[in-house]
């Protein structure tokens, strides 16, 4: 079954959606969408570095995402420049640096579009293993620190007063995000990964009464968007990555319309 | 005497050129109610945050009893709309608890009805009660409350203070409280610290009330207003000395009553003093 590119795409996409759901929920709660976007932009530099140094580009992407997360963690300690300014500077300078570096990579024709918008139909068995092991570990780590991280998100003061290591959790979360985004680029690309993180979480918000329901809902909506996107791509031969984002956005619109109706029915 | 739960020694802290804490030494003993009072911008919250370890002091040290269980009720809680959170889930924010336990503590604070409501839909008073209930699940040795009656209407305030007093008795925990409700504070507290960047004066309410620095900080009229309520405080002590349980409720009713009387004016301390006189 794993021979079929469509099957591999579906398995890879659903695995990614399951990991992105709970992470995306935290990104939405902690207002870190731009942070995720910045990490994704830096991944292109990782592609170039990987090719120049002769290491696997997946490792290059994860490594630059981790480096960018560390730089941002340090950058957030200063208050002279706003957080969004630091994020914007890093996002665009690493993207530009990545593009320039790619121009110097000799002998290989790099399909930049595949990195910008993802190429889920080219997912191979190694990608699936990386997603299952790497993504699975990141998800387990997130579940392990779920309660304290949520406490930090609700009120850093309460969390700190009651002995939760606030700064350490923030840093671990940023590093885990870097790993997840580094792995996701292959599938949905630099420009679309943020959408896969936040749109399903936003859809799940309509129906969730607790943070846990929202995280699980985000994973389900994400998986739905992957299935929808791949079938759209199959039927009208559209690029798969953007199609996934479009189906995620469509799901969100449907949720927008359905949730008030459900609420009315609930009341009567 | 046992060692204090938390002790700050010679704490100093500056934000830029402004000295917010100036050589502050303070300790809280087990089972004690300590109230920090002082004008706005006196650094009361900063002092509490320093004692809790949320803020690092430039000088001095904070010594905590090892393994101290702290329950903290911050001045304000604003849970973002984007984060769905029922009261039940909020109660288990830092520690897991069964639904039965959650129901029990909510009943204790008189907020059973909100258990499945979203936190963002609660009123100020309900939010304070749920926050208080959450700390009960931690079985704290020290309860820290930063202006617990903020955003609570005047009738609710007296009730909230009574609740805090009940909790202290039931759990035998110490309470560190910041307040600006001068007249209400005095009635229940063991130890008042009048604070304005440094400890102006501290002691039992009687001592503080007569201290010249306290009077200069709040003005003679306001200080007298506390005096009026303070007599009620003495009264309670006498009675409870003789009949331990019998009159507790009666007294708190009295307290409510006297409080309501002032609620009508809705005026500041000085005007209230005028009425009492």
């Amino acid at each position: 079954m794993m021979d079929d590119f469509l099957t591999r795409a579906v398995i890879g996409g659903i695995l990614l959606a399951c990991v992105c759901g709970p992470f995306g929920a935290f990104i939405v709660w902690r207002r870190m969408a731009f942070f995720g976007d910045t990490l994704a932009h830096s991944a292109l530099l990782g592609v170039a570095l990987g090719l120049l140094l002769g290491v696997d580009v997946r490792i290059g992407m994860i490594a630059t995402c981790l480096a960018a997360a560390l730089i941002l963690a340090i950058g957030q300690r200063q208050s002279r420049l706003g957080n969004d300014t630091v994020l914007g500077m890093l996002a665009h300078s690493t993207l530009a640096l990545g593009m320039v570096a790619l121009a110097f990579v000799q002998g290989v024709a790099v399909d930049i579009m595949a990195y910008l918008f993802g190429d889920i139909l080219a997912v191979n068995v190694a990608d699936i293993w990386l997603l299952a092991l790497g993504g699975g570990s990141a998800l387990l780590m997130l579940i392990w620190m779920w309660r304290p991280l949520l406490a930090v998100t609700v009120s850093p003061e309460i969390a700190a007063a009651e002995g939760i290591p606030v700064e350490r959790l923030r840093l671990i979360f940023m590093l885990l995000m870097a790993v997840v985004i580094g792995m996701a680029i292959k599938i949905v690309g630099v420009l679309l990964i943020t959408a896969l993180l936040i749109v399903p979480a936003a859809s799940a918000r309509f129906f969730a009464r607790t943070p846990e329901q929202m995280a699980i809902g985000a994973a389900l909506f994400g998986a739905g968007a992957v299935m929808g996107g791949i079938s759209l791509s199959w039927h009208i031969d559209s690029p798969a990555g953007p199609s996934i984002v479009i189906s995620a956005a469509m799901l969100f619109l449907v949720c927008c319309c359905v949730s008030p109706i459900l609420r009315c029915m609930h009341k009567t | 005497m046992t060692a204090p739960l938390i002790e700050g020694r010679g704490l100093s802290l500056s934000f830029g050129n402004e000295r917010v804490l100036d050589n502050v030494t303070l300790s809280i003993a087990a089972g004690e109610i300590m109230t920090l009072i002082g004008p706005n911008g006196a650094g009361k919250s900063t002092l509490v945050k320093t004692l809790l370890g949320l803020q690092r002091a430039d000088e001095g040290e904070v010594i905590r009893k090892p393994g101290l269980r702290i329950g903290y009720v911050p001045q304000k809680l604003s849970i973002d709309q984007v984060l769905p959170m029922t009261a039940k889930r909020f109660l288990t924010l830092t520690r897991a608890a069964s639904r039965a336990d959650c129901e029990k503590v909510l009943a204790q604070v008189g907020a059973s009805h909100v258990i499945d409501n979203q936190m963002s839909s609660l009123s100020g008073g309900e939010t304070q009660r749920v926050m208080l209930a959450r700390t009960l699940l931690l079985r704290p040795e020290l309860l820290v409350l930063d202006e617990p009656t903020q955003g609570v209407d005047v009738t609710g305030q007296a009730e909230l203070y009574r609740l805090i007093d009940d909790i202290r008795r039931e759990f035998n925990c110490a309470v560190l409280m910041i307040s600006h409700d001068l007249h209400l504070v005095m009635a229940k507290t063991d130890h008042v610290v009048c604070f304005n960047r440094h400890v102006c004066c501290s002691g039992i309410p009687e001592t503080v009330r007569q201290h010249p620095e306290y009077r200069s900080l709040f003005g003679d009229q306001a200080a007298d207003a506390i005096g009026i309520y303070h007599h009620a405080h003495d009264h309670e002590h006498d009675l409870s000395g003789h009949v331990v349980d019998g009159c507790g409720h009666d007294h708190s009713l009295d307290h409510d009553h006297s409080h309501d009387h002032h609620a009508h004016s809705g005026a500041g301390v000085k005007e209230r003093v005028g009425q009492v006189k």
Side-chain angles (χ1 to χ4, degrees):
Chain A
M1 276 300 276
M2 294 284 267
D3 303 337
D4 180 23
F5 76 96
L6 214 54
T7 314
R8 287 197 303 269
V10 169
I11 292 175
I14 287 177
L15 275 176
L16 182 63
C18 291
V19 177
C20 280
F23 274 95
F26 263 108
I27 287 170
V28 167
W29 297 331
R30 298 181 64 82
R31 303 181 177 270
M32 287 171 77
F34 199 13
F35 175 83
D37 215 28
T38 302
L39 294 187
H41 279 64
S42 73
L44 205 64
L45 180 60
V47 174
L49 288 179
L51 291 173
L52 286 170
L53 300 173
V55 288
D56 192 315
V57 290
R58 287 171 293 216
I59 293 172
M61 286 192 288
I62 292 174
T64 45
C65 284
L66 284 169
L70 280 175
I71 290 171
L72 289 172
I74 295 164
Q76 280 177 354
R77 300 226 170 118
Q78 56 80 41
S79 50
R80 191 165 302 222
L81 292 173
N83 217 349
D84 54 339
T85 306
V86 175
L87 287 167
M89 287 196 304
L90 195 71
H92 297 108
S93 47
T94 49
L95 182 70
L97 206 56
M99 294 296 277
V100 169
L102 277 176
F104 284 97
V105 177
Q106 288 178 348
V108 208
V110 184
D111 180 8
I112 292 181
M113 288 297 274
Y115 289 108
L116 290 181
F117 295 100
D119 195 359
I120 192 171
L121 301 180
V123 165
N124 58 36
V125 178
D127 290 326
I128 289 181
W129 277 110
L130 180 71
L131 266 175
L133 294 177
S137 320
L139 194 56
L140 280 178
M141 284 281 283
L142 185 67
I143 291 169
W144 172 70
M145 61 191 236
W146 187 270
R147 188 184 303 276
L149 185 65
L150 193 70
V152 171
T153 304
V154 170
S155 166
E157 292 186 337
I158 289 179
E162 289 169 13
I164 292 170
V166 174
E167 286 307 317
R168 199 185 311 161
L169 286 171
R170 276 188 184 144
L171 183 66
I172 295 175
F173 179 69
M174 285 161 90
L175 295 177
L176 287 178
M177 251 180 83
V179 173
V180 171
I181 288 172
M183 285 184 310
I185 301 289
K186 174 96 190 255
I187 295 181
V188 280
V190 169
L191 300 179
L192 302 178
I193 172 64
T194 313
L196 192 63
L197 283 164
I198 63 175
V199 179
S203 306
R205 174 63 187 98
F206 288 110
F207 308 101
R209 295 187 47 78
T210 63
E212 290 74 19
Q213 285 175 5
M214 182 161 154
I216 294 167
L220 294 176
F221 279 117
V226 165
M227 299 291 283
I230 290 175
S231 33
L232 190 69
S233 173
W234 176 259
H235 288 293
I236 65 170
D237 197 26
S238 55
S243 302
I244 291 174
V245 176
I246 288 173
S247 61
M250 296 297 288
L251 270 175
F252 176 81
L253 287 177
V254 170
C255 293
C256 262
C257 303
V258 167
S259 84
I261 300 170
L262 279 180
R263 210 168 300 148
C264 281
M265 284 166 60
H266 195 70
K267 270 178 193 158
T268 52
Chain B
M1 277 297 285
T2 50
L5 300 178
I6 276 195
E7 190 179 4
R9 285 188 193 157
L11 299 173
S12 293
L13 175 66
S14 302
F15 291 139
N17 289 325
E18 200 170 350
R19 204 161 173 82
V20 187
L21 303 179
D22 188 11
N23 193 19
V24 182
T25 294
L26 194 71
S27 71
I28 300 141
E32 174 185 35
I33 291 196
M34 179 186 279
T35 306
L36 280 177
I37 56 172
N40 284 334
K44 301 178 299 267
S45 287
T46 310
L47 174 61
V48 165
K49 283 178 184 169
T50 310
L51 288 172
L52 290 175
L54 306 184
Q55 171 77 52
R56 197 183 290 270
D58 297 335
E59 285 165 52
E61 55 177 344
V62 175
I63 302 155
R64 279 195 204 195
K65 185 189 142 193
L68 178 66
R69 288 193 309 278
I70 294 178
Y72 177 50
V73 178
Q75 194 171 26
K76 226 167 62 184
L77 178 80
S78 55
I79 296 181
D80 208 307
Q81 282 275 354
V82 78
L83 179 55
M85 178 72 74
T86 58
K88 154 84 177 60
R89 180 62 185 83
F90 178 76
L91 289 173
T92 58
L93 190 66
T94 55
R95 200 204 248 180
S98 69
R99 187 173 173 96
D101 284 342
C102 291
E103 279 167 352
K104 196 177 136 215
V105 289
L106 280 178
Q108 274 178 311
V109 301
S112 303
H113 57 291
V114 303
I115 188 161
D116 290 316
N117 291 14
Q118 289 289 310
M119 285 299 284
S120 52
S121 71
L122 302 186
S123 71
E126 285 168 337
T127 305
Q128 289 292 347
R129 280 158 194 269
V130 173
M131 287 206 285
L132 210 51
R134 190 190 66 82
T135 62
L136 298 187
L137 284 170
L138 305 170
R139 307 199 68 83
E141 294 163 274
L142 173 63
L143 193 56
V144 180
L145 307 142
D146 193 345
E147 304 229 2
T149 57
Q150 234 196 18
V152 178
D153 64 39
V154 195
T155 22
Q157 291 182 2
E159 219 178 310
L160 209 53
Y161 280 122
R162 198 169 61 227
L163 197 58
I164 292 166
D165 193 51
D166 288 347
I167 288 167
R168 196 265 298 241
R169 266 179 236 177
E170 190 185 329
F171 290 88
N172 199 24
C173 61
V175 177
L176 171 61
M177 181 158 57
I178 295 179
S179 186
H180 60 213
D181 307 304
L182 298 169
H183 60 301
L184 275 176
V185 163
M186 291 297 197
K188 298 285 184 189
T189 200
D190 299 330
H191 195 122
V192 179
V193 175
C194 175
F195 185 77
N196 191 12
R197 290 158 199 241
H198 64 282
V199 177
C200 300
C201 50
S202 78
I204 57 167
E206 178 71 19
T207 319
V208 171
R209 189 174 63 90
Q210 287 167 356
H211 198 281
E213 236 185 303
Y214 169 74
R215 297 185 82 90
S216 72
L217 206 54
F218 289 104
D220 276 344
Q221 279 195 312
D224 282 339
I226 290 147
I228 292 160
Y229 284 89
H230 181 66
H231 289 301
H233 176 63
D234 280 347
H235 184 61
E236 181 200 27
H237 265 283
D238 287 339
L239 279 174
S240 60
H242 296 301
V243 194
V244 180
D245 282 322
C247 67
H249 292 289
D250 283 340
H251 175 74
S252 47
L253 279 174
D254 283 349
H255 204 277
D256 266 356
H257 180 70
S258 59
H259 189 75
D260 283 345
H261 173 64
H262 295 288
H264 294 299
S265 74
V269 172
K270 284 190 180 172
E271 269 183 68
R272 286 181 197 168
V273 173
Q275 283 188 347
V276 173
K277 276 179 178 168

